[in-house]
């Protein structure tokens, strides 16, 4: 169902986002950069509210937009390049997997070129997909 008016569930999510922003404001890594990033967060929140009233959103879209803003708030606090996502993922896997499975997962990360290989494969995949789409578009234009 598409909503055009903020309901209690929307206000609750906005209060939680505001609380996250308040907590992220406590001792950020670099305050001036944090404030600059948060200006973008506030502008995007204004865009969300304007679109919500004009176009309407269902609740799940509203929540996903706020999750994106929450990730942005977290990145602003840690200056993006220092966000400990990878450490959190490894910790989560270590506490949820069996000790053997966690060791196998962490043991696979011993390859110093692993990230480079991943990026190479992602780049090659993007080039291949882009080339295929370009080929199909040109073929369609000629027909």
């Amino acid at each position: 169902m598409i909503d055009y008016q903020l309901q209690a569930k929307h206000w609750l999510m906005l209060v939680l986002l505001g609380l996250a922003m308040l907590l992220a404001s406590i001792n950020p890594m670099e305050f001036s950069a944090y404030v600059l990033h948060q200006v973008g967060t506030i502008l995007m929140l204004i865009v969300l509210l304007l679109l919500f009233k004009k176009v309407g959103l269902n609740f799940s879209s509203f929540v996903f937009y706020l999750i994106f803003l929450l990730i942005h708030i977290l990145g602003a606090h840690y200056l993006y390049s220092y966000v400990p996502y990878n450490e959190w993922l490894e910790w989560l896997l270590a506490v949820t997997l069996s000790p053997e499975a966690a060791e196998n997962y962490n043991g696979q990360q011993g390859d110093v070129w692993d990230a480079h290989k991943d990026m190479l494969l992602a780049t090659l995949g993007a080039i291949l997909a882009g080339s295929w789409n370009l080929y199909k578009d040109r073929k369609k234009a000629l027909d």
Side-chain angles (χ1 to χ4, degrees):
M1 179 171 82
I2 294 182
D3 297 316
Y4 294 91
Q5 296 289 324
L6 293 175
Q7 299 172 8
K9 59 186 177 182
H10 297 101
W11 285 110
L12 175 65
M13 299 308 292
L14 288 169
V15 166
L16 291 175
L17 184 75
L19 182 62
M21 189 179 284
L22 183 67
L23 290 173
S25 298
I26 299 172
N27 203 17
M29 290 188 76
E30 188 178 312
F31 191 75
S32 60
Y34 170 78
V35 170
L36 183 64
H37 285 108
Q38 292 304 59
V39 167
T41 303
I42 291 169
L43 290 175
M44 291 306 293
L45 190 56
I46 291 169
V47 169
L48 169 67
L49 294 175
L50 290 173
L51 285 175
F52 186 84
K53 294 221 178 241
K54 187 164 182 91
V55 179
L57 290 172
N58 64 20
F59 185 66
S60 60
S61 297
F62 186 82
V63 169
F64 284 127
Y65 194 100
L66 293 183
I67 289 171
F68 170 77
L69 290 180
L70 184 64
I71 292 169
H72 186 74
I73 290 168
L74 186 64
H77 178 80
Y78 286 105
L79 293 180
Y80 286 102
S81 57
Y82 298 107
V83 177
Y85 292 131
N86 192 42
E87 289 84 1
W88 294 342
L89 176 63
E90 289 179 7
W91 171 81
L92 182 64
L93 288 172
V95 297
T96 56
L97 295 176
S98 68
E100 297 84 21
E103 183 60 35
N104 287 338
Y105 171 78
N106 287 326
Q108 292 174 356
Q109 295 179 357
D111 182 6
V112 296
W113 295 103
D114 185 53
H116 298 84
K117 292 175 189 173
D118 291 346
M119 292 303 296
L120 174 65
L121 288 174
T123 302
L124 291 174
I127 290 170
L128 183 63
S131 299
W132 177 254
N133 283 332
L134 184 62
Y135 169 76
K136 285 187 348 184
D137 288 346
R138 286 191 176 173
K139 186 177 179 184
K140 186 185 282 186
L142 293 175
D143 290 341

